[in-house]
Amino acid sequence: MHTTKAARRYAKALMGMAKELDQIEAIYEDMDLIYGTISDSRELVLFLKSPVVKSSDKESVLKKIFSDKVSQSTNQFFTLMVEKDREDQLGEIAAAYLKMYDEYKGIQHIDVVVAQQLDENQEKVLRQSLEKRTGKTVRMKVSVDESIKGGAKVRIDDTVIDGSVKYKLEELRHLLHETTLN
């Protein structure tokens, strides 16, 4: 989900309030729930973005969905979002807060693609290696793609480290092709 400058500003303000009230973890859990709920419901996204629906109705629906599941501070935040006519950005604000939380806690999300499922020990060794490399706590999302033949592809933010057999074979084929042309 793309986040706007306004969403990042509100998330930053929310993080500041969370720190001040010593509720960083509680609000993280609230934002995780909100982000997941909004991301999983196209109808809720369309409802919150609808210019036809009154803000008070949007606030009422948000409170019906979340009020007994989130902290009092988050419920007050809903009210502020409606007052500022920003309820349509709630998912983006939640995403921005989750990202700020990870930065605050030193957590790095890494996508790993492997040719076959890793066992528990292999995953542990890979995580430790990545934590040593990044200097952060690593949360890995591991997926299997048999077409890479072996090895792994690792994506850290915008950087891709391709150690797959498929990539190495393509490099070798390209090198051999260049050598035969010269």
Side-chain angles (χ1 to χ4, degrees), residues 56-89:
S56 60
D57 293 339
K58 292 177 185 180
E59 181 179 19
S60 176
V61 167
L62 287 171
K63 292 210 174 182
K64 271 187 186 158
I65 295 171
F66 297 112
S67 70
D68 60 339
K69 296 177 182 100
V70 298
S71 67
Q72 181 181 353
S73 298
T74 300
N75 276 310
Q76 291 171 343
F77 185 70
F78 288 151
T79 303
L80 175 65
M81 292 298 90
V82 172
E83 286 174 8
K84 299 291 185 182
D85 199 27
R86 296 286 186 183
E87 63 276 355
D88 62 323
Q89 293 186 358

Side-chain angles (χ1 to χ4, degrees), residues 66-131:
F66 297 112
S67 70
D68 60 339
K69 296 177 182 100
V70 298
S71 67
Q72 181 181 353
S73 298
T74 300
N75 276 310
Q76 291 171 343
F77 185 70
F78 288 151
T79 303
L80 175 65
M81 292 298 90
V82 172
E83 286 174 8
K84 299 291 185 182
D85 199 27
R86 296 286 186 183
E87 63 276 355
D88 62 323
Q89 293 186 358
L90 194 55
E92 295 172 35
I93 293 166
Y97 183 91
L98 295 174
K99 187 173 181 176
M100 285 178 193
Y101 174 89
D102 287 346
E103 289 169 5
Y104 177 75
K105 290 290 191 173
I107 297 169
Q108 178 72 53
H109 290 266
I110 297 178
D111 293 320
V112 179
V113 179
V114 292
Q116 57 187 345
Q117 191 63 46
L118 301 176
D119 66 34
E120 196 173 302
N121 189 49
Q122 290 170 320
E123 201 167 309
K124 178 182 172 189
V125 169
L126 179 58
R127 179 176 281 109
Q128 288 172 340
S129 173
L130 291 169
E131 286 178 347

